[in-house]
Amino acid sequence: MTISLEALRRCSIAVDLGAARTRVYLRRTGLIVDEPTVAAVNTLTGGLIAVGTPAERMSGRTPAHIQVVRPVSNGTVVDIAMAQRMLRLLLGNKLRRAWRRRPLVSAAVCVQHDANPLAQRAAVETLTGIGAKRVELVDSLIAAAVGCGLPVERPEATMIVVCGAATTQVAVLSLGSIVAAERVPVGGETVDHAVVQHLRNEHALMLPSQAVRPLHLVLKEGAPASGSTEVHGRDVATGLARSVRIDVESVRTAIRTPLTGVLDAIGTVLRRCPPDLVADLADRGIMLAGGSAVLPGFDEMLREATGMPLSIADHPDVCAVEGLGAMLDGKVQPLALDAMVS
């Protein structure tokens, strides 16, 4: 993967192809695309009906001949052709206007820390298919750390937990490189599934997929720990619409259960680190980033389990692409080390 800032400064565009959202950063302009990684396809004709937010709204509401697909799964492009078509529509006239006089030369894309060669090749082919002549691969953990404002280039430990839609990555960085990292298949989608299963098992209620995230907001802000809230869904037995009042604390407990895998990953990473770096983290703590960083109770659970300070990034969902954009714009400088003379 690319570690040369000089190579990144020659890039014109930065892309973060996430399982939940796709974000595109244009050099010296900023974020120009922030849309769900979703496409709606007419299976009879093969034509695209919608991409991004309009396609996401169709999920679970389409007739048989319309299929809502996600070309990115677990942080990896699984359908290159569909990802290219989706990107072309998302960029639209924005890309053509930006390069009306200057053709697209190179692009940078975030990939997961332990991405295999096939996953890296899929990311490269996706961007070359929309006109990029050269593609630089950047570790998403380093990009997210830069986007959070962490001093990754200094000889001191910084720990970041990037909680995405499908996976959570934990890493300790020092001197611009990753000292230890771990990835677990736990993310926002896992938590959503836990909420749906809890309501099905305890209340015989099937919750619509698009109602899970609003329920997260209610659990976090709208109800006290001992209170209750009303949810609407479909009765498992009769199939009729039904509303039930659920205990807030029981749902919070169901959410915490899958998140324990993140605690195991943090412990594994700390055991791999030198003692000096772990001592740095005792004071500096953990930075939480990613679109699922604001899950209700997640930050409190990490604080209680690790006993370390924890901070949530100002804009956790866009940390990776903003960090990549900062590298493109030349805002990140490597640590200057004087050469030793023998």
Side-chain angles (χ1 to χ4, degrees), residues 125-162:
E125 290 186 4
T126 299
L127 292 185
T128 54
I130 63 171
K133 304 304 179 184
R134 179 179 175 83
V135 178
E136 305 288 349
L137 301 178
V138 181
D139 197 306
S140 60
L141 286 169
I142 295 179
V146 172
C148 292
L150 296 177
V152 296
E153 75 282 356
R154 303 197 61 82
E156 53 193 35
T158 55
M159 173 174 265
I160 186 168
V161 177
V162 181

Side-chain angles (χ1 to χ4, degrees), residues 25-112:
Y25 184 101
L26 183 63
R27 187 174 63 180
R28 300 191 184 96
T29 301
L31 197 64
I32 61 173
V33 171
D34 186 359
E35 292 283 339
T37 311
V38 185
V41 185
N42 187 328
T43 58
L44 299 178
T45 64
L48 278 182
I49 298 175
V51 297
T53 301
E56 188 178 48
R57 291 174 182 165
M58 298 179 185
S59 181
R61 304 171 184 268
T62 60
H65 69 282
I66 297 178
Q67 184 179 10
V68 177
V69 298
R70 295 182 179 271
V72 179
S73 177
N74 294 332
T76 301
V77 179
V78 294
D79 189 337
I80 296 175
M82 185 59 64
Q84 291 173 350
R85 296 173 67 186
M86 180 192 70
L87 276 174
R88 288 193 189 100
L89 285 180
L90 288 177
L91 291 169
N93 293 329
K94 299 174 184 177
L95 186 62
R96 286 194 290 271
R97 285 197 302 265
W99 279 283
R100 185 171 297 170
R101 298 181 179 178
R102 180 181 177 185
L104 176 62
V105 177
S106 58
V109 62
C110 291
V111 293
Q112 292 189 346

Side-chain angles (χ1 to χ4, degrees), residues 212-277:
V212 177
R213 290 309 170 93
L215 180 58
H216 288 177
L217 299 178
V218 172
L219 296 175
K220 187 174 183 179
E221 302 170 359
S226 59
S228 62
T229 186
E230 187 176 25
V231 296
H232 310 279
R234 189 183 73 184
D235 189 275
V236 173
T238 64
L240 300 177
R242 184 162 65 94
S243 300
V244 298
R245 295 201 68 85
I246 61 173
D247 179 62
V248 170
E249 187 57 33
S250 65
V251 179
R252 285 176 175 164
T253 302
I255 288 176
R256 293 191 189 102
T257 301
L259 294 177
T260 54
V262 179
L263 297 177
D264 296 336
I266 292 176
T268 300
V269 170
L270 291 176
R271 285 190 293 270
R272 294 177 185 172
C273 292
D276 291 344
L277 294 182

Side-chain angles (χ1 to χ4, degrees), residues 254-331:
I255 288 176
R256 293 191 189 102
T257 301
L259 294 177
T260 54
V262 179
L263 297 177
D264 296 336
I266 292 176
T268 300
V269 170
L270 291 176
R271 285 190 293 270
R272 294 177 185 172
C273 292
D276 291 344
L277 294 182
V278 176
D280 290 344
L281 296 174
D283 297 328
R284 191 166 291 107
I286 304 172
M287 177 63 73
L288 195 59
S292 301
V294 294
L295 289 172
F298 189 29
D299 52 342
E300 290 87 351
M301 184 188 72
L302 292 182
R303 287 192 188 97
E304 294 174 2
T306 63
M308 299 168 62
L310 186 138
S311 302
I312 301 179
D314 293 336
H315 304 285
D317 52 339
V318 296
C319 283
V321 72
E322 290 287 351
L324 199 52
M327 297 180 196
L328 266 61
D329 290 337
K331 298 178 181 178

